[in-house]
Amino acid sequence: MVLGLVAGSLVVMASARAHATASSVPGVPTSVSGTAGNGQVSVAWSAPASNGGSAITGYTVTASPGGATASTAGAISATVTGLTNGTGYTFTVTATNTVGAGPASVPSAAVTPTSGGAAYAVVQQGTAFMGANAGSVTVSFGSAAHAGDLLIATGIVFPNTATATAPAGFTLAGSTPGPTGHSAEMVWFKIAAGGETAFTFTQPAASNNYSQFFVTEVSGLGSSVAVDGTPAWQFDGNNDSGYTQTYGSAPAAAGEFGFAFFHTSNATAQITPTGWTLIGGPSSSNDQSGDYYQTVGTTAPSITTSGLTPTGSYVAGLIVFRTTSSATAPGAPTGVSAIAGNAQASVSWTAPASNGGSPITG
């Protein structure tokens, strides 16, 4: 406020100030969960509802007890290593933007790593958005891919009449156009050569391009992998809060890797289906998409999602991967000992550490 005298009178003049809204730290990540491995836990979470007005640049996962950490450059899953088998750990996640780190999430349920833990682990996941008039976009990893790991690429492609192309070396496993007027969905895969950190996807440049691409690194399948059966697809243009999807065939063997993924028109929340592990939930920062995995049994895998809110249309895929590495001869038995008898000897031994990839028959 400014005071002044004009012709002997007191004049009060208001002065205006422009107020800029300052950015703040991000909100709290949600839905933190962990999957046990051998001396490690694979942790996944959902992005916070608010980025504080500035793009999220990374996440940090912290284990308790011990304080072991893992960080990403924006991916919503990470593997915390160096843990003690047999010890229960909880995990919290913080999001960081240019202002700083936000508050920690609610701790996950306790997870106990073990030498007999899950064979598969999601190492990391990256995602990137392709907007109007763009003809390419690059998905980045927070760390280099490990040689021999499975890389699964998925694309939510709009318009659904467009054809997207994955980076060199990826094999197209399948696609669906999705509901009329909505997004198509595509899936590719490859075995990592080792050292990959960036993956560039392309589609014809157009003013209405609105596509989201993901690359997920999975360990535990070996260096030769194939799709078991045919990927399952389904979609609905109505407002749904969940769906049930069943694979079209039983796996060749129990223990293969099942991967389910979906895109919705509105959802930013989900309830993790029974028997499945959440990789990433739908949010405004990943085009309302999500994915899960499980170790499949002897029957055709099935998934029932729920809690997809707000409701909307969806498109969903389900794919099973199997290891195709050729079997080799078993390793050497160990601990051989003999006990003398009457013109005979009783011999015992310990089975070899490796069966060569095929059950020992004699």
Side-chain angles (χ1 to χ4, degrees):
M1 182 176 296
V2 178
L3 302 179
L5 291 173
V6 177
S9 299
L10 179 65
V11 180
V12 180
M13 297 175 289
S15 61
R17 293 183 180 178
H19 296 275
T21 301
S23 297
S24 60
V25 297
V28 179
T30 60
S31 303
V32 181
S33 63
T35 301
N38 184 5
Q40 63 184 30
V41 170
S42 178
V43 182
W45 59 91
S46 296
S50 170
N51 64 8
S54 178
I56 292 173
T57 56
Y59 294 92
T60 299
V61 185
T62 303
S64 178
T69 63
S71 299
T72 79
I76 51 176
S77 63
T79 299
V80 182
T81 59
L83 304 179
T84 302
N85 288 335
T87 298
Y89 293 88
T90 60
F91 299 88
T92 57
V93 182
T94 60
T96 300
N97 61 13
T98 54
V99 178
S105 68
V106 173
S108 70
V111 182
T112 303
T114 171
S115 58
Y120 308 120
V122 174
V123 179
Q124 57 187 329
Q125 183 181 75
T127 186
F129 171 72
M130 180 189 294
N133 299 312
S136 66
V137 70
T138 298
V139 174
S140 298
F141 274 173
S143 59
H146 302 281
D149 281 357
L150 173 65
L151 301 177
I152 306 172
T154 52
I156 310 303
V157 181
F158 188 89
N160 66 352
T161 54
T163 298
T165 302
F170 280 84
T171 298
L172 177 66
S175 65
T176 182
T180 301
H182 293 267
S183 297
E185 196 165 45
M186 307 180 73
V187 60
W188 306 263
F189 71 99
K190 67 169 282 189
I191 296 299
E196 295 98 329
T197 58
F199 310 89
T200 299
F201 296 81
T202 62
Q203 75 182 65
S207 61
N208 60 340
N209 280 357
Y210 196 94
S211 299
Q212 190 87 25
F213 296 94
F214 301 79
V215 180
T216 305
E217 180 182 358
V218 181
S219 64
L221 279 90
S223 59
S224 182
V225 173
V227 177
D228 188 342
T230 302
W233 302 101
Q234 67 185 55
F235 52 81
D236 189 354
N238 298 311
N239 288 334
D240 297 298
S241 61
Y243 62 88
T244 296
Q245 186 174 31
T246 302
Y247 209 57
S249 59
E256 296 177 352
F257 182 78
F259 180 75
F261 50 104
F262 67 88
H263 164 68
T264 72
S265 58
N266 296 311
T268 55
Q270 61 83 47
I271 296 173
T272 302
T274 301
W276 292 81
T277 297
L278 176 69
I279 300 174
S283 71
S284 57
S285 62
N286 69 4
D287 199 19
Q288 294 80 44
S289 303
D291 38 25
Y292 314 95
Y293 75 95
Q294 71 167 199
T295 301
V296 304
T298 57
T299 60
S302 181
I303 185 169
T304 298
T305 64
S306 62
L308 298 176
T309 53
T311 61
S313 62
Y314 76 88
V315 56
L318 176 59
I319 187 169
V320 175
F321 292 97
R322 63 184 178 90
T323 300
T324 59
S325 302
S326 299
T328 60
T334 59
V336 180
S337 63
I339 299 175
N342 184 10
Q344 66 182 24
S346 178
V347 182
S348 61
W349 59 90
T350 300
S354 171
N355 64 7
S358 181
I360 293 173
T361 58

